[in-house]
């Protein structure tokens, strides 16, 4: 820059000054030369310049000269509101209003273009999404352009939208480790990120802080809890699964109740109608979860604990008379199994009793098949002897009594029960 003077008495001093756009004034040169060189021009040199000349007589100041340095655009600066940032970028809660503001230093000023996953979506510096949805998750790029210099720069941010899981948590309880423990299961499908789940023995009251666990049994990072019978040993227990998610203002919970059956195990026996098999039944109903039942008997006549093991099937005639058959009933809330026992006894030889051995024709009599020992149920077969010596069955059933009414003279003969 040259500061020329038409006339003046030598010597003349030249002083150059720089006034920024912020009206800050600084001296940049003072010498007896009318020319000043500005090397390595940068944006900081933008502003108004003037020179002041002086000699022994007076001093005068020139008009201002504007130096306008073009540059940019710099790498954009991105501001996101609300400001939630993680290691993977910015996050927002579904239905929030999200604003993204882009600014890049440039002269002349930048023009801005927003891209969503490489597709152009907006052409101003401030981009706003009202009620952001999970489908808005992705990469957002701001492109700043200097149309005078034909230059550009860009910056990308990653936005992840958090949304809640579906419905409410689902609770269930099942036996584990051969009915020596409880397995508590809690699931809450959907949502991002995955909901936080933990178990507690006491339900959380409304307004209670989740950190106030008291006697809670809590596994913060797992939706599964294993509890041994020794640690429970209770007649009944209520367990609550508490779920929380960043999108939801309050926790959500579900509960499951466990209890032992209200009655003692029961054992009984039965024979198939074709007398092929003897079946020993054991039941212990009403508990949650369902109890495990199994039989143990003499001569390896047993059935290990498994599903549908409450029935022991023995081929007819193979049961051990006088020996106990024991049903074991195991529930996870009890450390020790309960039992019920059947001792099978063969039927003794029956004695036939008759109300009248010489009845009058037309009268009624009864006959009783008396037996001292024998495991119930007992099946009675009533027979009478034909003229050819063979016996014919005339009735059978579970009753040891039989009535014969309106007796006729041709019913005279030999009778027996089996």
């Amino acid at each position: 820059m040259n500061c020329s003077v038409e006339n003046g008495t030598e010597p003349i001093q030249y002083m150059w000054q720089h006034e920024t756009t912020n009206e800050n004034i600084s001296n940049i040169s003072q010498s007896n030369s009318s020319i000043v060189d500005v090397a390595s021009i940068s944006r900081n040199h933008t502003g108004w310049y003037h020179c002041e000349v002086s000699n022994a007589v007076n001093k005068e100041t020139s008009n201002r000269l504007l130096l306008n340095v073009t540059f940019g655009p710099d790498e954009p600066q991105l501001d996101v509101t609300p400001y939630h940032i993680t290691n993977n970028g910015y996050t927002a809660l579904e239905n929030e209003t999200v604003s993204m503001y882009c600014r890049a230093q440039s002269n002349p000023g930048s023009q801005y273009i927003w891209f969503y996953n490489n597709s152009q979506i907006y052409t101003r510096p401030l981009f706003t999404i009202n009620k952001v949805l999970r489908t808005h998750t992705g990469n957002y790029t701001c492109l700043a352009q200097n149309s005078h210099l034909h230059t550009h720069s860009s910056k990308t941010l990653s936005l992840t939208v958090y949304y809640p899981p579906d419905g409410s948590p689902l609770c269930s309880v099942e036996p584990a480790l051969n009915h020596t423990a409880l397995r508590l299961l809690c699931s809450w499908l959907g949502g991002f990120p995955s909901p936080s789940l933990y178990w507690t023995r006491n339900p959380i009251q409304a307004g209670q802080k989740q950190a106030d666990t008291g006697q809670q049994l809590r596994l913060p990072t797992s939706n599964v809890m294993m509890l041994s019978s020794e640690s429970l040993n209770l007649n009944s227990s209520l367990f609550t699964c508490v779920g929380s998610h960043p999108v939801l203002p309050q926790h959500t919970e579900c509960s499951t109740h466990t209890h032992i059956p209200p009655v003692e195990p029961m054992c009984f026996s039965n024979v198939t109608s074709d007398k092929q098999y003897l079946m020993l039944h054991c039941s212990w109903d009403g508990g949650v979860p369902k109890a495990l039942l199994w039989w143990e008997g003499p001569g390896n006549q047993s059935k290990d604990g498994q599903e549908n093991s409450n029935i022991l099937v023995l081929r007819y005639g193979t049961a051990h008379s006088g020996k106990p058959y024991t049903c074991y009933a195991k529930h996870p809330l009890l450390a020790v199994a309960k039992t019920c026992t059947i001792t099978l006894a063969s039927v003794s030889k029956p004695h036939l009793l008759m109300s009248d051995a010489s009845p009058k024709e037309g009268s009624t009599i009864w006959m009783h098949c008396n037996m001292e020992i024998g495991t119930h149920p007992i099946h009675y077969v009533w027979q009478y002897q034909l003229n050819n010596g063979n016996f014919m069955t005339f009735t059978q059933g579970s009753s040891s009594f039989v009535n014969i009414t309106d007796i006729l003279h041709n019913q005279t003969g030999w009778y027996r029960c089996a």
Side-chain angles (χ1 to χ4, degrees):
M1 288 181 285
N2 184 20
C3 184
S4 61
V5 179
E6 294 182 357
N7 53 57
T9 303
E10 300 289 341
I12 299 176
Q13 289 291 321
Y14 298 87
M15 184 174 67
W16 288 90
Q17 291 184 321
H18 174 215
E19 180 181 351
T20 67
T21 55
N22 295 329
E23 298 183 353
N24 294 323
I25 300 175
S26 61
N27 298 329
I28 61 172
S29 176
Q30 186 172 355
S31 67
N32 56 8
S33 174
S34 63
I35 297 176
V36 64
D37 294 325
V38 181
S40 301
I41 290 291
S42 70
R43 67 188 68 182
N44 295 329
H45 292 112
T46 297
W48 299 92
Y49 289 83
H50 64 265
C51 70
E52 182 183 276
V53 295
S54 62
N55 60 9
V57 179
N58 69 336
K59 64 179 179 180
E60 291 288 341
T61 302
S62 69
N63 294 329
R64 296 190 305 171
L65 176 66
L66 175 64
L67 179 64
N68 188 22
V69 180
T70 58
F71 63 90
D74 293 345
E75 182 183 52
Q77 300 297 313
L78 303 180
D79 295 324
V80 180
T81 304
Y83 184 80
H84 304 302
I85 192 168
T86 66
N87 293 333
N88 297 321
Y90 293 89
T91 64
L93 306 183
E94 195 166 44
N95 293 320
E96 277 187 329
T97 296
V98 177
S99 296
M100 291 173 272
Y101 181 67
C102 179
R103 64 180 183 273
Q105 294 294 328
S106 178
N107 187 27
S110 297
Q111 292 83 46
Y112 298 95
I113 301 176
W114 281 98
F115 294 86
Y116 170 63
N117 291 342
N118 299 321
S119 297
Q120 182 176 328
I121 54 173
Y122 200 63
T123 58
R124 291 185 180 180
L126 179 62
F127 174 55
T128 300
I129 305 175
N130 295 313
K131 291 188 176 182
V132 66
L133 302 176
R134 63 194 69 177
T135 54
H136 291 126
T137 293
N139 294 323
Y140 291 83
T141 301
C142 174
L143 176 69
Q145 297 182 119
N146 187 324
S147 58
H148 179 75
L149 298 177
H150 303 290
T151 54
H152 66 270
S153 62
S154 65
K155 191 171 184 179
T156 300
L157 65 85
S158 176
L159 178 66
T160 302
V161 179
Y162 288 174
Y163 56 92
D166 300 328
S168 301
L170 298 178
C171 295
S172 63
V173 59
E174 62 184 30
L177 304 178
N178 201 26
H179 277 66
T180 62
L182 281 179
R183 181 184 291 112
L184 303 174
L185 304 174
C186 182
S187 63
W188 200 8
L189 301 179
F192 186 85
S194 297
S196 173
L197 300 170
Y198 69 88
W199 282 98
T200 173
R201 185 170 285 172
N202 300 317
I204 295 180
Q205 302 300 323
Q208 180 180 355
K209 295 181 179 180
Q210 295 188 31
D212 184 15
T213 57
Q215 296 183 348
Q216 294 174 4
L217 301 173
R218 180 170 177 174
L219 292 179
T221 60
S222 175
N223 63 332
V224 180
M225 176 182 281
M226 292 282 288
L227 297 173
S228 65
S229 297
E230 289 77 7
S231 66
L232 293 167
N233 200 22
L234 300 172
N235 186 42
S236 63
S237 292
L238 177 67
F239 297 96
T240 300
C241 176
V242 181
S244 59
H245 192 272
V247 175
L248 301 176
Q250 295 180 339
H251 62 263
T252 307
E253 61 186 43
C254 62
S255 296
T256 182
H257 189 265
T258 64
H259 59 89
I260 61 174
V263 297
E264 295 297 308
M266 294 185 297
C267 296
F268 58 95
S269 59
N270 195 14
V271 180
T272 58
S273 58
D274 57 3
K275 294 185 180 180
Q276 294 295 312
Y277 298 98
L278 169 66
M279 294 185 295
L280 304 182
H281 298 260
C282 180
S283 65
W284 197 28
D285 300 327
V288 178
K290 189 177 180 180
L292 177 67
L293 305 173
W294 73 94
W295 283 95
E296 291 185 5
N300 294 323
Q301 291 181 324
S302 304
K303 192 166 189 181
D304 296 332
Q306 56 185 344
E307 188 177 359
N308 298 325
S309 59
N310 63 316
I311 300 177
L312 178 62
V313 180
L314 305 175
R315 187 170 291 277
Y316 190 77
T318 64
H320 293 267
S321 179
K323 303 292 183 179
Y325 288 80
T326 301
C327 174
Y328 291 85
K330 183 70 178 73
H331 194 276
L333 290 180
L334 297 177
V336 179
K338 290 182 174 289
T339 61
C340 62
T341 301
I342 292 179
T343 300
L344 299 176
S346 301
V347 292
S348 60
K349 184 176 178 65
H351 301 283
L352 184 59
L353 301 178
M354 191 177 297
S355 61
D356 187 355
S358 301
K360 181 181 178 181
E361 190 173 36
S363 64
T364 298
I365 67 167
W366 55 260
M367 289 183 284
H368 175 47
C369 190
N370 186 31
M371 185 188 59
E372 295 181 358
I373 59 173
T375 300
H376 286 268
I378 298 174
H379 187 73
Y380 298 88
V381 179
W382 292 91
Q383 299 175 325
Y384 71 92
Q385 191 174 28
L386 301 173
N387 293 332
N388 59 8
N390 294 328
F391 279 86
M392 176 181 177
T393 298
F394 64 93
T395 187
Q396 58 182 319
S398 59
S399 177
S400 62
F401 284 87
V402 65
N403 289 323
I404 301 178
T405 60
D406 297 327
I407 288 181
L408 302 176
H409 67 274
N410 59 3
Q411 290 179 297
T412 298
W414 293 97
Y415 288 79
R416 70 179 185 184
C417 72

